[in-house]
Amino acid sequence: MKITFSVNEMPQSIEIDDENTPLLWVIRDMLDLKGTKFGCGKAACGACTLHVDGEAVRSCSYPAKLVEGKKVTTIEGLGSEEHPHPVQQAWVEEVVPQCGYCQPGFMMATAALLDKIPEPTDNDIDQNIINVCRCATYYRMRKAIHRAAVIKKNTTQPVNSESDG
Amino acid sequence: MTLLVAGGTLMTISASRSKVSDYSSIASASKAISEDTPFNKMMQVLTHERCVNCHPTDNIPKQGNDSHPHYFGMMRGEENLGFAATKCTTCHQTENNAYSGVPGAPHWSLAPKSMGWQGLNKYEIAEAMLDKTKNGNRSHSELIHHLTQDSLVLWAFEPGVDQEGIPREKPPISEAAYKAAVLAWFENGAVVPEE
């Protein structure tokens, strides 16, 4: 089966025998984007979270055939080293990761949350960020999510240039 | 070894319960006749976990044959679709996923709060189903369509496999028998029997 879609704004076209192959393995093994992690394979831990048409999905439980014509964003496309996404910037500032394995999934889930709820409360975070971190970095992640909301708010508001001051 | 012993014990108990006395066989025959009505056939499906798990009265979807609360704190949300960023469709797609064991069907969601069935008996469920103030203002013909054509309702008969790859339990009667029972019940006036 041929599947055409985009990943991080780059067009992709793949040939795949099993159309139900989890999108996770298309991303990791066929497109060699290793930022999206395999955790449980049962849509339980969230390590494989990425965005499909702007919505967070667990890619281990998302058949490749459903991505036809859609836009996928992975952690590699969220931001760059030079221009990190507010979530990535906040994660660095709050020194969130310990082992780091699950963090891309958390960051993708958080980016989706901030798109829907720009200034999430602790309750919003509890409801929407339900990934699993075996290092238990939840406390630092909560701080980073609030920090990311502030960074995003400040960077998306109209900027008064320094010359105006 | 302990498990084997325990399993053996359970099997023994089960075998002893399967013995039927002359008296209980009469009772069973009566029950068999009563269960054969279109209403009872239909309700055998609608009271099954595959249906009731997504008709909660406490805003928490249920899972499994033990109807345990959905893992990860998932709840109804404002539109029966989960929360703003983590929705039902974050994990549940339009069809069952045999790799992950995550069930799926088109428009996967909870039934509206007004259609909460958890804890109700079959008579109360039927009354609620017919009540236009609870059923989304559906007429009988619209209810028939929903009960016999809606892909999420009919998912109960194709529930896929669980996380261990084990097929989920289906309702006790076939899809064809269920649809026939629904049609027969409505054709006969959709009368809810007295308890």
Side-chain angles (χ1 to χ4, degrees):
Chain A
M1 180 185 189
K2 182 179 180 181
I3 304 172
T4 303
F5 57 110
S6 75
V7 178
N8 303 331
E9 299 185 354
M10 295 289 289
Q12 301 286 349
S13 184
I14 61 166
E15 283 284 347
I16 194 164
D17 291 337
D18 180 0
E19 62 186 16
N20 290 317
T21 299
L23 177 61
L24 169 65
W25 302 119
V26 173
I27 295 294
R28 283 184 58 85
D29 292 349
M30 299 182 74
L31 304 180
D32 202 30
L33 293 168
K34 304 296 190 186
T36 307
K37 304 302 188 201
F38 170 77
C40 64
K42 300 182 185 302
C45 74
C48 64
T49 304
L50 44 66
H51 297 177
V52 175
D53 283 351
E55 301 287 347
V57 301
R58 305 284 169 89
S59 62
C60 74
S61 188
Y62 193 95
K65 64 186 177 188
L66 294 186
V67 83
E68 170 67 34
K70 295 180 179 172
K71 296 179 179 178
V72 175
T73 305
T74 69
I75 188 71
E76 291 91 344
L78 196 62
S80 65
E81 196 165 345
E82 296 77 23
H83 301 288
H85 185 280
V87 172
Q88 293 168 314
Q89 188 177 333
W91 245 247
V92 171
E93 290 180 8
E94 296 293 345
V95 196
V96 172
Q98 186 167 312
C99 88
Y101 190 84
C102 65
Q103 302 294 326
F106 271 100
M107 285 190 276
M108 295 307 290
T110 300
L113 172 61
L114 296 184
D115 285 344
K116 311 288 184 187
I117 306 176
E119 296 181 69
T121 63
D122 279 348
N123 189 49
D124 292 327
I125 294 170
D126 290 342
Q127 291 179 333
N128 287 277
I129 307 300
I130 57 174
N131 298 20
V132 176
C133 171
R134 293 186 68 176
C135 303
T137 61
Y138 302 108
Y139 176 71
R140 295 201 295 272
M141 279 193 276
R142 186 181 299 279
K143 288 172 64 181
I145 294 167
H146 287 304
R147 176 73 187 136
V150 172
I151 295 170
K152 188 173 182 184
K153 182 180 180 182
N154 291 339
T155 54
T156 53
Q157 280 183 337
V159 178
N160 295 322
S161 68
E162 290 183 5
S163 59
D164 289 339
Chain B
M1 180 62 77
T2 306
L3 285 173
L4 284 172
V5 171
T9 305
L10 286 171
M11 287 177 69
T12 304
I13 293 170
S14 175
S16 68
R17 283 179 178 169
S18 68
K19 291 180 182 174
V20 179
S21 73
D22 293 340
Y23 297 105
S24 61
S25 67
I26 295 170
S28 297
S30 302
K31 189 182 179 193
I33 293 168
S34 126
E35 294 293 328
D36 201 32
T37 65
F39 175 79
N40 283 323
K41 281 185 177 178
M42 175 180 73
M43 296 314 296
Q44 282 181 53
V45 175
L46 301 188
T47 56
H48 191 273
E49 291 82 4
R50 293 289 81 74
C51 291
V52 176
N53 279 357
C54 288
H55 283 260
T57 49
D58 58 0
N59 297 325
I60 300 171
K62 305 301 185 295
Q63 297 177 307
N65 285 356
D66 61 352
S67 297
H68 61 264
H70 195 295
Y71 293 135
F72 324 116
M74 281 305 296
M75 294 181 70
R76 178 185 301 281
E78 292 183 3
E79 298 178 345
N80 309 317
L81 298 169
F83 301 116
T86 297
K87 306 172 181 177
C88 301
T89 51
T90 297
C91 300
H92 298 274
Q93 305 308 325
T94 53
E95 57 187 53
N96 295 322
N97 192 305
Y99 285 108
S100 64
V102 175
H107 68 91
W108 190 269
S109 66
L110 282 189
K113 193 170 185 177
S114 64
M115 288 310 296
W117 293 353
Q118 185 187 9
L120 304 186
N121 65 30
K122 58 186 176 183
Y123 308 100
E124 293 167 331
I125 289 174
E127 294 287 3
M129 192 168 65
L130 295 172
D131 185 343
K132 284 192 171 184
T133 66
K134 295 180 178 177
N135 75 6
N137 201 35
R138 285 189 171 99
S139 64
H140 281 197
S141 63
E142 288 168 329
L143 282 173
I144 292 170
H145 184 272
H146 177 70
L147 289 168
T148 63
Q149 303 296 321
D150 188 288
S151 52
L152 184 50
V153 173
L154 298 180
W155 168 87
F157 298 98
E158 295 288 342
V161 298
D162 66 12
Q163 292 184 343
E164 306 299 325
I166 300 168
R168 287 188 179 83
E169 181 183 292
K170 297 179 184 180
I173 66 172
S174 71
E175 180 176 343
Y178 158 74
K179 287 181 174 179
V182 170
L183 291 172
W185 185 61
F186 277 99
E187 282 175 4
N188 286 306
V191 177
V192 181
E194 289 189 15
E195 293 187 41

